[in-house]
Amino acid sequence: MTLIKENKLVKILEKTLSNESISKEDCKYLLSFEETSLEASLIRSVANEVMRKKSDNSAIILGQIGIDVKACSGGCKFCTFGEGHTEFIPKCLDDNELSLKIHEFCDAGDLYGLFLMTMHDYDLTHLLHSIELTKSIAPKSTQIWVNIGDSDIDTLKEIKKAGVSGIYHVCRLGEGVNTLLNPKDRVKTMQNAVDAGLNLYTCCEPIGPEHTIDELVDNIFIGIELGCFQHAAMRRVAVANTPLAVYGQISELRLAQIVAVIALATFTMPSMTYCGVHEPNKIGYISGANIITAESGVNPRDNKEETSKSRGLDMNACRTMLLESGFKYIRRGDESKIPLNLDYINKINK
Ligand code: SF4
């Protein structure tokens, strides 16, 4: 009896073990296996192997702070901020609130990057002020990133000049259908960010059970073709009161298979050392993911005003999940390494 009958699968995976990238067609084939199959397990294991080798078995922690909340004109049907269905009361973090959150994320000195998140429409003056405040508190080894709405190149150059390293931006699955935004504007912003000299962190999201393999792979390759710096996969969470909740959600096991395929499709890119899974889970971290995001304040996948007490993970929960997933180092934003072990976790928790 042969372990794996699919010679084609073995050939694709051996190619990745020889440090070769895989094609769009290969990705579609890898996603065609059931998530519970032996083949899918093998795909996840190979992705785990190549990513741990490339990163010297390191993982990174990102933090995200929602600096404002209001009924968002993006109107995304899967997001708790979308206008027409949001139940959040508009709020903008003041300096004191923002400072406290920055300290929470940064004081231990092991945060790779801190995201400041706004709604689709944002006040540039407030954002630049928040960046300035973040810079004055965060250590130099923590990069500052933004997660903002569509923006032109001049605005993005100004944001970069203010000290921001990168931007999280995506053209979502179902953009323009399940959102009020134009897919072309989303991709243009991603291109503007690259042209402005910002690193692009992107993601295939928000994945639901109804998305086809072709849709997933086309979406994954938007970021790859733009030379992204980090990639990821995020499943859509069926949050009550969001219009797409009726479709349900994919399993963490299927999400891990998608993460594995993204890792295998990107790990040969010189810029790609890290790959994310949202929401964080251990199956993803043994399938090629090595980015974990701690969240504070509001979160588009949560109805609570303080997500770190609800769906979001705080910094300690992130460190523990990485340790339990077998990572040996946490990397700071300057790529320096901190050995990750129980002593380290206990010391930080004191
Ligand atoms: S996902 Fe972003 S753009 Fe869409 S409604 Fe939520 S905050 Fe707005």
Side-chain angles (χ1 to χ4, degrees), residues 72-76 78-79 81-83 118-120 172 181 186 300:
C72 179
S73 62
C76 307
F78 42 81
C79 172
F81 307 136
E83 72 182 9
T118 69
M119 301 290 101
H120 181 70
R172 305 175 190 89
L181 306 174
R186 302 293 296 172

Side-chain angles (χ1 to χ4, degrees), residues 199-261:
N199 287 325
L200 174 66
Y201 179 13
T202 195
C203 182
C204 177
E205 61 131 309
I207 306 166
E210 74 280 16
H211 293 124
T212 64
I213 289 173
D214 283 357
E215 283 174 302
L216 296 179
V217 173
D218 285 348
N219 189 276
I220 290 166
F221 272 76
I222 295 173
I224 294 176
E225 282 159 11
L226 285 166
C228 62
F229 177 76
Q230 290 174 4
H231 212 316
M234 180 174 90
R235 71 173 175 178
R236 190 180 62 228
V237 175
V239 187
N241 302 327
T242 56
L244 296 187
V246 292
Y247 292 107
Q249 55 190 47
I250 61 167
S251 67
E252 289 183 348
L253 191 60
R254 177 64 175 167
L255 179 62
Q257 186 180 352
I258 300 168
V259 165
V261 171

